[in-house]
Amino acid sequence: MIANKWKAATEVKVVCALLLGLAVAYLAMAGVLMFAPYSSARTFLLPGTSLVLGALVVAGLVLKMSSARFAGFAVSFLFGLLHALSMLAAELFWVKIVSGILFAGYIYAAVLLNSMPVKRHLLGATNDA
């Protein structure tokens, strides 16, 4: 039996992919930083949190919960701000580059959450909304 495809706008699928993909990339960066001296398991605390919160928002988007959009804004801006500050404070150049890319990804996810296809997906909004 072939599974039914998830019928949603491309913007909704891109937001879901961004929220999960950015968190996985953040986990990968933390995994590399684990090889640094004096690192501990606490290095994975924020990346793990971003993965859990991103997965909750994605689940809400898939289930068409209207509150998932506002939770997505909160998660996107919270981790966008975190990566902006990390980009400014990091000593390693590659951490600055990765944080800048993750910052841009989270802000783009927030912009897509405010697009009309996402509103139509969650709220059934018309073009007038």
Side-chain angles (χ1 to χ4, degrees), residues 61-93:
L61 287 172
V62 169
L63 296 175
K64 294 186 177 184
M65 297 172 65
S66 59
S67 60
R69 187 168 153 250
F70 297 109
F73 284 138
V75 168
S76 296
F77 287 126
L78 174 73
F79 287 104
L81 178 65
L82 174 90
H83 286 294
L85 295 175
S86 175
M87 183 175 53
L88 294 173
E91 292 183 16
L92 298 173
F93 184 70

Side-chain angles (χ1 to χ4, degrees), residues 19 22 26 29 46 50 72-90 95-96 98-110:
L19 288 175
L22 292 169
Y26 191 21
M29 184 176 79
L46 281 174
S50 71
F73 284 138
V75 168
S76 296
F77 287 126
L78 174 73
F79 287 104
L81 178 65
L82 174 90
H83 286 294
L85 295 175
S86 175
M87 183 175 53
L88 294 173
V95 173
K96 288 182 184 234
V98 172
S99 289
I101 292 169
L102 293 174
F103 165 73
Y106 276 114
I107 297 305
Y108 184 59

